[in-house]
Structure formats: structure tokens, C-alpha cells
Amino acid sequence: MPEPRILIDQQLSAGAALALDEAQARHVGTALRLSAGDHVRVFNARDGEWRARIADASKRGMKVQIEDFICAARATPDLDLLFAPVKRHATDLIVEKATELGVRRIRPVITQRTIAETVRVDRLRSIAREAAEQTERFDVPEIAERLALAKALDAWDASRPLIYADEASDERDKPWGGESGRGVSIAEAMSALRTEQLAVLIGPEGGFTREERALLRSLPFVNAVSLGPRILRAETAVIAALSVVQSLWGDWAKA
Ligand code: SAM
């Protein structure tokens, strides 16, 4: 089994002796049952990944001594996820999976039908951190404070196209509703985009309102897309959309 990875926000270099914080020491000592002499990998987005030996493990804390350089850090694609917070478990899952799938920023947005108005950003940050450690990435996605969707769109940098997943099923009488109003397939939208920076937007359980849909579809940087003929749960839609984006545009395409 590969040695566990620990993110350390301090300078990493050969020979350095670094103290783990309390939560990390507890995780390594109690959950992973490692002790002095065992090895771990330590990493961060600046200094890459290093092999380190647990030099000291006691009630006072845990120290690791860095031994060998393993590899340089790799950047994640410049990809943002905007999502309307859902129930707690599903929101946690979205943050964990978006981290695994290589999103650089996670931005909770409040839409008109968002039910879960409270977002525990500190909790989401620790979920993202843990997922980053497990998933062999080097950076932890930035988790923004929640923001109203309209405000986020207002302040949008138009050089970042927004892939907007529009289920468009409940307004059959409108040009954007029903089967005829579905966005193009996400794969088709991706093939037309030439950009180094991108964002994906997924709505809440109740979908977007007519007003939000009209606003989104009127904006030049927005690309309305379909994720197929079935209506997916928000968390499934996040995973599906990010997988397509990573495979057609992001670092799966470049791997
Ligand atoms: N209540 C909505 C309805 O019945 O039409 C469904 C909302 S869905 C659970 C949550 C979000 O996932 C949507 O707002 C959309 O962003 C995305 N989504 C789910 N299925 C989709 C699809 N087939 N095409 C595009 N987006 C989809």
C-alpha cells in the first residue's frame, strides 16, 4: 500500500524537520496507527511531494523528518465549479468528488430554488483537504463563501466560458423549455471551445427558475448544455459534467 500523504503548509526540503498539526498527528497516530520510524509522504502545491520519516511521536505531538524528493507539483486545470448547495450529505459529496475530479475552485451559489441556504465553508474546506490528500493532487481547491447566482454572473470575467447544465424540461411552452429547448450536448459544446479557463454550473434539486434560465441564456459567455435525456440528481450532474469536461478539455485529455 502506498505511504499516506499529508499536506503540509510549510516549506518542504531535504532534511527539514516539521511538526504536524494536532489533527494531522491524531490522524497519523490514531487512525493510521503509524509511529516513529514509519514513513509518510508530505506535499504541497509549491514544493511537490517528499518522502518523510516519523522522527518523533509522543503525547507532545508528532514530527517528521524529510528524506527524499519524490516529484514536483502538478497544477490542476483552471476549472471552477459553481453549484447550488443541496442537503448536507450531497453537498459534502459534491465537494469531495469535485476535488477528486480536479476542480481548482468551488463556488457555492444561491439560486432562487436553493433550499440549503447555510454553507459551512470551514467544513467543506476540511473535506476538500482530505480528498486532496487521498487523490494524489497537490493543491486543495479554493472554497469560496456562498454568493447569489445573479451577483456571481454580474461580476463574471467574460473570458471564462460558463458551461451551464440546463435540464430545461419543465417549461414546454418556452423556446428554452421542453425537448426542443435543451442545450446542445455537453460534448458538442466542449468541442467548440478554445479556452484555458472554464467554469461549470449545476443547479439545485428544484432546478433553475424561468427567470434564471432566461438570464443565463442571454449572457454571451454562457453555454447551455444537456447532460442527456434523464434528469440527474445535482450531485450526479456535477460528477457527470466534470468527467466530460476533464476528458474533453482538462487534464484527462492531456494525460
Ligand atoms: N427539478 C428539476 C427538473 O425536474 O427539471 C431537476 C433539477 S436537477 C435534480 C439539478 C441540476 O442538475 C439541474 O439544475 C441541472 O443543472 C443539472 N441537470 C440534471 N440533469 C440534467 C440534464 N439531463 N441536462 C442538463 N442538466 C442537468
Side-chain angles (χ1 to χ4, degrees):
M1 209 170 92
E3 284 146 358
R5 287 175 97 232
I6 304 167
L7 173 62
I8 297 199
D9 303 317
Q10 302 174 52
Q11 194 180 349
L12 309 178
S13 57
L18 305 171
L20 302 190
D21 70 30
E22 218 180 304
Q24 287 174 326
R26 206 171 34 247
H27 177 68
V28 173
T30 313
L32 302 176
R33 297 175 169 278
L34 299 181
S35 52
D38 289 330
H39 282 87
V40 292
R41 290 174 291 159
V42 295
F43 72 98
N44 64 40
R46 194 188 45 238
D47 305 318
E49 185 168 297
W50 298 74
R51 190 160 189 258
R53 185 176 48 82
I54 299 175
D56 181 27
S58 69
K59 283 203 175 104
R60 283 173 286 121
M62 191 174 273
K63 265 198 182 146
V64 296
Q65 171 119 38
I66 299 190
E67 293 182 341
D68 310 304
F69 180 64
I70 300 177
C71 61
R74 261 187 320 273
T76 44
D78 193 350
L79 174 61
D80 290 7
L81 169 69
L82 282 75
F83 77 102
V86 280
K87 292 193 186 102
R88 186 172 125 168
H89 173 70
T91 295
D92 291 356
L93 189 78
I94 286 172
V95 169
E96 182 185 277
K97 298 306 164 205
T99 305
E100 287 178 35
L101 288 165
V103 157
R104 202 182 280 184
R105 282 170 224 92
I106 299 179
R107 305 181 56 190
V109 286
I110 306 301
T111 65
Q112 291 172 1
R113 292 189 185 142
T114 301
I115 302 165
E117 295 269 330
T118 18
V119 180
R120 291 271 315 275
V121 172
D122 51 342
R123 178 188 158 75
L124 299 183
R125 285 185 181 138
S126 82
I127 290 172
R129 190 179 171 105
E130 210 171 292
E133 287 181 338
Q134 282 174 9
T135 206
E136 306 282 328
R137 66 184 276 173
F138 293 85
D139 59 326
V140 179
E142 186 186 316
I143 313 263
E145 294 291 339
R146 73 194 176 123
L147 184 67
L149 175 64
K151 281 200 175 148
L153 295 174
D154 236 17
W156 199 263
D157 167 5
S159 64
R160 181 184 297 276
L162 175 61
I163 300 287
Y164 149 55
D166 184 3
E167 71 280 6
S169 58
D170 58 351
E171 295 179 45
R172 299 194 170 276
D173 55 329
K174 293 287 172 193
W176 58 81
E179 286 306 315
S180 61
R182 277 187 183 278
V184 295
S185 81
I186 184 168
E188 196 180 329
M190 295 305 305
S191 68
L193 286 177
R194 299 281 169 276
T195 178
E196 289 297 310
Q197 45 184 16
L198 199 60
V200 169
L201 168 65
I202 304 293
E205 281 110 329
F208 293 99
T209 62
R210 181 176 287 229
E211 236 179 300
E212 287 168 334
R213 224 175 241 150
L215 169 65
L216 280 158
R217 284 188 170 244
S218 73
L219 298 168
F221 52 83
V222 170
N223 298 260
V225 303
S226 163
L227 299 176
R230 290 163 293 278
I231 300 294
L232 309 174
R233 280 174 178 264
E235 58 273 33
T236 315
V238 167
I239 296 167
L242 293 179
S243 302
V244 175
V245 166
Q246 283 291 43
S247 87
L248 297 180
W249 169 85
D251 58 10
W252 299 9
K254 291 167 192 145

